[in-house]
Each structure stands twice: as structure tokens, then as C-alpha cells.
Amino acid sequence: MKLDGFINRPVLSTVISIFIVIFGILGLFSLPIEQYPDIAPPTIQVSTTYTGANAQTVLNSVIAPLEEQINGAENMDYMVSSATNNGSATINVYFKQGMDPNMAAVDVQNRVAKATAFLPSEVNQVGVITQKRQTSMLMVIGMYDPEDKYTAQFIDNYMAINIIPQIKRVSGVGDAMAFGADYSMRIWLKPDVMAQYKLMPSDITAALAEQNIEAAPGQFGEQGNQTFQYTLRYKGRLTDASEFEDIILRASSDGDILRLKDVADVELGRLTYGFQNLNNGHLGSSAIVFQSAGSNATAVIESIEKLLDNARKDLPAGMVLQTTMSVNDFLFASIHEVLDPR
């Protein structure tokens, strides 16, 4: 290849060099920066919960029907499933490189819908979630109280209500999930007392389904001779532990009433007690942020950091919100090593 043309035409060489520099600068600011190159296959996650079931039960009654329907999706490469003893089930479906994640999610969602008839009713009530999500973590955020004035339930609930929804709205965030448990009304049954009254756990759930409901009682006075039209209002779902304790399980003809508090202890606690979260040795909560495919990791982290700075202004007194892990640390260290002249 002869290069004397560039030597004989210095103006042409200068113009080409200027264009290369300009395109390089544009690419430096516009191309996405990621921890790893975009070689990870598109991934769709299917997750649900079967409350009270062990891992083997979840495997047989939840994961097996879902896998049977999901298998054979267009351009699907393989899938990995996991079940835990707290009733959670997760299926990660990996597709071939180049597959549109949106089309993959739609295909998997349609196949999951076919499996709902084979799932337990408890699982259908909770719902099966299908979402696009990269498997690598972008950030880990921690919240705790150095003085331990707040309970773990309060911190978990604050994180889930006030922090996670804002993070999910940041452009480039694929998903954000909290390692915590929401508030939940806990009903601790007394087996010995229930045996005396010949009750089963299904009797308790039936009473809860009948008396803890949202109802539409309607209205009266419409198209009648009444002067006013009245809309009836129902109290709605129970919110306090004392209201749950007064749920009637059985009533006899002589006026004896058996209530829930007679056969169980009711308290406002956590949804699950299967784990405990510590931050710097204190009770707290943590959240993991996942990146969406094709987004700029550095820009996403900067947006989240600005959001956290604003969120710190409204934190309860003494609460600390910090970034436990950030991919930017790895990215900036890698870029520094590339630019280091040594």
C-alpha cells in the first residue's frame, strides 16, 4: 500500500486527522460505558412466591409447569431455575445473542399465561412476574440507623415505599429490588387450642377471605320517591391487629362466639423472618439496582447519586443512606489504568 499520497497532500492528511479527532471526541461522550462488553445474552426472569411451601414443593408444583410451557420459546438458548424453602421460585431464561429483549419478554409472558391453570391458587393470587433484567448488579444501596432507634421493619418499609420507587423511574435502570421484608399482619396459630375446637388452618383462611375484603355495597334511592340518593360505603379491609383478633370463626345458637384471638396471636410484623440485614453492624435494609441493556452505566449511577442526595434531605432523624457498591469504582479504576503512561 502506497502512502506517498498523504505525504504529497498534507492538507488532505490534516483534514482526515481532524475528522478522526472530532469523531473520537464525539464517541468518547456518546458511547455507553459498561463494566463488561455487551456479550451477555438477553435474559428474562420469571419469579413468583408460594407462601408456606418448601423447595421441593415449589419445584414440583410451580417451576415444573412453568418450565414445561416456557421451553421452546423462539431463539431460547437455555434456562436456569431455583427454588428456596421460603417459597420463592425464580426462572432465568437466556436467549441467543441479538434477540430483541422486548419480543422475548412478550413470548415468555404468553407462555407463562398458559401455565397459570396448572399452578396452585395461592400462586395465582400472588401473581407470576415476568421482566427483563440484566444479571449483573449496577449498585448496592444501604440504609441503617447508627443508634438503632428504628426497627428493621420500619427501615425495610421506608426503603420499599420512598427509595425503591424513585430509583425505578431513573432512565437506564432495569430493575431495583430491596433485600427486606414489608410490614405484614402475622397470625400465629395455636395448634393445641385449635385441636380443642376441631379447627384447621383452612378454616382460618376461609374466615379471613370472608371478613377481610373490599366490597361494593352499592347505593339506594335511585329512581325512587326518596328525596336523596345515598351511596353505601363499606369499611374495607382490616388494618389493625385488634380488628383481626375480632374476626368471628364460629358462633353457636346460645350466643357463644369463637374469635380469632381465642386460637391465635395476632401482631403487625414482617412478611418473612427468613433473613436479617445488617449495615456496618446495625440493623438496616439494602437495595440492588440492575442496569437495562444498552444504557450508560456511568450516567445511570450519576442520576441515582443525585436522587439519593435529594432523598437524604427527607430521611428520618438519624437515618443514614449510603452507596455500598458501585460499578463506577471498577470502571474508573480500569480507565485510570488505560490512561496511566507508566
Side-chain angles (χ1 to χ4, degrees):
M1 180 178 180
K2 295 182 179 181
L3 301 178
D4 56 346
F6 294 98
I7 299 175
N8 296 331
R9 297 179 177 84
V11 177
L12 175 62
S13 303
T14 303
V15 172
I16 294 176
S17 300
I18 292 175
F19 273 108
I20 293 176
V21 172
I22 293 175
F23 287 132
I25 294 174
L26 294 176
L28 180 64
F29 290 98
S30 61
L31 292 178
I33 302 174
E34 298 183 0
Q35 181 177 6
Y36 302 108
D38 188 16
I39 59 176
T43 307
I44 305 299
Q45 185 183 79
V46 180
S47 59
T48 187
T49 302
Y50 190 2
T51 305
N54 57 33
Q56 187 63 42
T57 303
V58 174
L59 179 64
N60 296 335
S61 60
V62 179
I63 291 182
L66 289 174
E67 283 186 342
E68 184 177 354
Q69 295 297 329
I70 296 173
N71 188 34
E74 183 179 0
N75 289 330
M76 190 194 82
D77 198 0
Y78 64 96
M79 56 183 167
V80 178
S81 305
S82 63
T84 61
N85 282 324
N86 63 1
S88 63
T90 304
I91 302 176
N92 289 315
V93 187
Y94 297 87
F95 290 81
K96 295 180 180 179
Q97 191 67 35
M99 178 64 180
D100 185 359
N102 296 315
M103 297 304 300
V106 171
D107 191 8
V108 173
Q109 178 65 51
N110 292 336
R111 292 174 178 271
V112 168
K114 296 179 181 179
T116 54
F118 304 99
L119 300 178
S121 59
E122 294 83 359
V123 176
N124 288 326
Q125 291 177 0
V126 174
V128 182
I129 301 174
T130 303
Q131 59 184 349
K132 301 176 296 181
R133 196 178 74 178
Q134 297 293 102
T135 56
S136 59
M137 294 184 297
L138 187 67
M139 290 182 67
V140 178
I141 301 168
M143 176 185 290
Y144 68 98
D145 174 25
E147 300 180 1
D148 294 327
K149 296 183 299 183
Y150 303 100
T151 63
Q153 295 96 312
F154 176 84
I155 300 176
D156 289 338
N157 191 65
Y158 189 92
M159 174 75 82
I161 293 178
N162 299 281
I163 305 299
I164 296 298
Q166 298 185 58
I167 294 177
K168 288 183 176 181
R169 293 194 293 266
V170 174
S171 178
V173 173
D175 188 24
M177 57 181 295
F179 277 150
D182 296 334
Y183 278 116
S184 178
M185 194 63 65
R186 305 293 301 192
I187 300 176
W188 305 98
L189 302 178
K190 302 175 182 178
D192 53 341
V193 180
M194 291 182 62
Q196 296 177 10
Y197 291 103
K198 298 180 180 180
L199 292 175
M200 299 178 62
S202 58
D203 299 324
I204 307 298
T205 57
L208 290 171
E210 291 177 356
Q211 303 178 45
N212 182 31
I213 60 173
E214 290 285 353
Q219 56 188 357
F220 65 89
E222 183 179 7
Q223 297 295 328
N225 295 325
Q226 292 85 353
T227 305
F228 299 99
Q229 176 179 330
Y230 297 93
T231 300
L232 302 179
R233 298 179 60 184
Y234 183 70
K235 183 178 181 180
R237 292 187 181 275
L238 308 179
T239 57
D240 189 71
S242 59
E243 296 177 340
F244 280 88
E245 291 177 344
D246 290 334
I247 289 179
I248 298 176
L249 302 178
R250 183 184 298 168
S252 61
S253 57
D254 56 0
D256 292 335
I257 298 177
L258 179 64
R259 302 183 184 273
L260 182 60
K261 61 183 177 182
D262 298 325
V263 298
D265 294 325
V266 183
E267 66 173 359
L268 182 62
R270 302 180 66 184
L271 182 62
T272 176
Y273 293 94
F275 55 87
Q276 189 178 50
N277 201 328
L278 296 177
N279 286 272
N280 292 335
H282 301 277
L283 289 175
S285 180
S286 297
I288 297 179
V289 182
F290 296 89
Q291 178 185 1
S292 62
S295 60
N296 189 320
T298 302
V300 174
I301 293 176
E302 290 177 354
S303 300
I304 296 177
E305 289 290 356
K306 293 180 181 178
L307 186 150
L308 295 180
D309 291 337
N310 294 329
R312 291 187 180 97
K313 301 176 183 178
D314 300 325
L315 289 177
M319 195 80 75
V320 175
L321 182 63
Q322 64 179 8
T323 301
T324 306
M325 189 278 291
S326 174
V327 171
N328 267 357
D329 298 335
F330 178 86
L331 293 176
F332 292 156
S334 302
I335 294 174
H336 178 270
E337 291 297 327
V338 173
L339 298 178
D340 193 345
R342 295 174 299 175

